[in-house]
Amino acid sequence: MKLWGGRFETGPSEVFEQFSGSLHFDRKLLFADCQGSQAFARALAKQGILTGSEADQLVEAFRQIGEEAADPKYLDAANDEDVHTFVIRKLQDKAGALSAKIHTGRSRNEQVSLDVRLYLRAACDSISEQLADLMGGLLALAHKHSEAVIPGYTHLRRAQAVLWPHYLLAYFEMFSRDVERVRQTRARIDVMPLGSGALAGSGFPFDRQAIAGDLGFPSITRNSMDVSGDRDFALDFLYSRSLIMLHLSRLAEDWILYSSEEFNWMTLGDGVTSGSSLMPQKKNPDSLELIRGKSGRVFGDLTSLFVTMKGLPMTYNRDMQEDKEPLFDAFHQTSGSLSMARAVAESIVLNPAVPAAATEESWVIATDLAEELARNGVPFHRAHELVGQFVLESIRAGKRPADWTPESLAAFAPEFKPQMARLLSPAEGMKSREIPGGTGPSSVAGALREAAARLEQLRSSLG
Ligand code: ARG
């Protein structure tokens, strides 16, 4: 069936039908379409277009359609133009002539906006839960090795010693900003568009606030033309997913490196790694590589909708049908990647001795020493220069920090005092970083407690 046709002398060509049909992907909106149409049937009853019992009959028919669609084969033989057309054909099968009234004063342009909003709203809720689960996984991993010391890097060169939990809490912060961003995105999605008509506003004086209340939206859209041409909320969704994937991709890259033979800090569980068909010894971090790979795909989804929307004349244009596949793809890839990252986090076993040795054999203590000199009155630039010379001399002599004694340190330059030798041990310098947000052991312990409390709060807000 078609929702249009009277004006045409012949039907659409097969090639056009094939080309323009969207049912094979927008079928994902079926539940949202039925939910929205139930509310719309109730609104039509208030207008006197449907009687109360007619509305009840249609609401029940939509319920049945939603239920039957749980069977994955339900849509297989269908070749309707889109999911909205499919649902109305099914409605016709169930409610006969009465079904012809359902589209009174409604356009697919607003219907598609409504359905996508309903779908994305639920998607935001499930992503927030998955983010919370991953954040919980990171905290568990932090507690598993709460005292481990690792080199922190800049330029992928050993920079300063940090606590392992401090490193993990950095990702906790990124994901907690993601939760916040998902919440903001959800709020912009959560606005009810019905009543906008095709572009000019519906010709029937629906109580739009009541429809919003019926569907659990706190507010209604303000301009019918905006509704018809707007996909900002979809772009917000794709952007917030893209940042989640960006964070996951960087985490994946870290763990690919840290679990390599070259780093050898950690082992990934057998359950999240795969072997080689040729090289029997291999245990590859494919799960993490796929997360990194899928991030590019999700950025592509965002870019694709940006480019689709760019330069479209007001208001609706059929180009906008191309919004759905990137949205569904971004949702599914992000959701899969979050589950995968959590499973990897649960499988990780850190070998704390290896990163600890990396801090001891390198010069991550240099800054600690220079700052201690500054604390003792040496101007920092002079202290920096002096410690730089000390490092250079050590490298020339093949000495590691532990090879210096309090006496030999003090003999290197008059500014060095024997008691400064304690800073040659990487775990010592961290104690001077007891600043909020720093890697000092008490700061980190406090940050861990605070993160756990925030996660608890987030979990209870998700219900
Ligand atoms: N399948 C269409 C879409 O997703 C529904 C809206 C059709 N509206 C139209 N004016 N042809 O965009």
Side-chain angles (χ1 to χ4, degrees), residues 235 302-312:
L235 286 162
L302 172 64
T303 309
S304 135
L305 187 56
F306 262 131
V307 180
T308 299
M309 296 306 293
K310 176 190 168 297
L312 288 187

Side-chain angles (χ1 to χ4, degrees), residues 22 26 82 84 108-109 112 316 318 320-321 324:
S22 57
D26 66 15
D82 57 21
H84 322 291
R108 273 183 300 166
N109 297 349
V112 94
Y316 178 83
R318 190 66 177 270
M320 290 162 70
Q321 179 170 291
K324 289 169 202 65

Side-chain angles (χ1 to χ4, degrees), residues 271-346:
V272 298
T273 44
S274 36
S276 153
S277 62
L278 191 146
M279 300 166 282
Q281 86 285 11
K282 290 301 287 292
K283 185 175 162 188
N284 294 325
D286 295 32
S287 51
L288 294 168
E289 292 167 293
L290 279 167
I291 291 174
R292 196 176 54 187
K294 284 169 189 291
S295 68
R297 180 168 162 178
V298 173
F299 304 161
D301 292 329
L302 172 64
T303 309
S304 135
L305 187 56
F306 262 131
V307 180
T308 299
M309 296 306 293
K310 176 190 168 297
L312 288 187
M314 282 285 268
T315 55
Y316 178 83
N317 299 269
R318 190 66 177 270
D319 317 42
M320 290 162 70
Q321 179 170 291
E322 295 298 315
D323 63 348
K324 289 169 202 65
E325 283 173 295
L327 283 174
F328 299 147
D329 186 60
F331 175 43
H332 290 292
Q333 299 313 325
T334 310
S335 160
S337 300
L338 282 167
S339 306
M340 192 68 254
R342 186 194 176 191
V344 173
E346 278 168 4

Side-chain angles (χ1 to χ4, degrees), residues 196-375:
S196 301
L199 77 160
S202 180
F204 297 79
F206 294 113
D207 179 349
R208 298 188 60 212
Q209 285 293 355
I211 303 176
D214 191 347
L215 290 166
F217 286 96
S219 62
I220 60 174
T221 54
R222 291 199 171 90
N223 181 290
S224 61
M225 293 184 81
D226 180 36
V227 166
S228 209
D230 171 38
R231 289 293 180 275
D232 289 3
F233 62 95
L235 286 162
D236 281 338
F237 181 88
L238 290 170
Y239 174 67
S240 57
R241 266 45 180 184
S242 294
L243 268 196
I244 294 171
M245 289 306 297
L246 174 73
H247 298 149
L248 285 174
S249 173
R250 295 186 70 177
L251 183 67
E253 172 65 11
D254 276 0
W255 291 356
I256 290 167
L257 285 173
Y258 298 166
S259 64
S260 67
E261 284 98 334
E262 278 66 23
F263 273 79
N264 192 32
W265 289 15
M266 55 163 72
T267 35
L268 305 174
D270 282 3
V272 298
T273 44
S274 36
S276 153
S277 62
L278 191 146
M279 300 166 282
Q281 86 285 11
K282 290 301 287 292
K283 185 175 162 188
N284 294 325
D286 295 32
S287 51
L288 294 168
E289 292 167 293
L290 279 167
I291 291 174
R292 196 176 54 187
K294 284 169 189 291
S295 68
R297 180 168 162 178
V298 173
F299 304 161
D301 292 329
L302 172 64
T303 309
S304 135
L305 187 56
F306 262 131
V307 180
T308 299
M309 296 306 293
K310 176 190 168 297
L312 288 187
M314 282 285 268
T315 55
Y316 178 83
N317 299 269
R318 190 66 177 270
D319 317 42
M320 290 162 70
Q321 179 170 291
E322 295 298 315
D323 63 348
K324 289 169 202 65
E325 283 173 295
L327 283 174
F328 299 147
D329 186 60
F331 175 43
H332 290 292
Q333 299 313 325
T334 310
S335 160
S337 300
L338 282 167
S339 306
M340 192 68 254
R342 186 194 176 191
V344 173
E346 278 168 4
S347 86
I348 283 178
V349 178
L350 188 73
N351 315 319
V354 182
T359 63
E360 279 152 20
E361 76 197 17
S362 62
W363 288 93
V364 295
I365 52 97
T367 309
D368 302 332
L369 213 48
E371 289 181 349
E372 183 68 0
L373 288 172
R375 253 176 243 116

Side-chain angles (χ1 to χ4, degrees), residues 404-421:
W404 291 87
T405 61
E407 295 70 35
S408 59
L409 176 70
F412 184 82
E415 289 90 340
F416 285 127
K417 306 290 170 229
Q419 65 272 22
M420 290 179 186

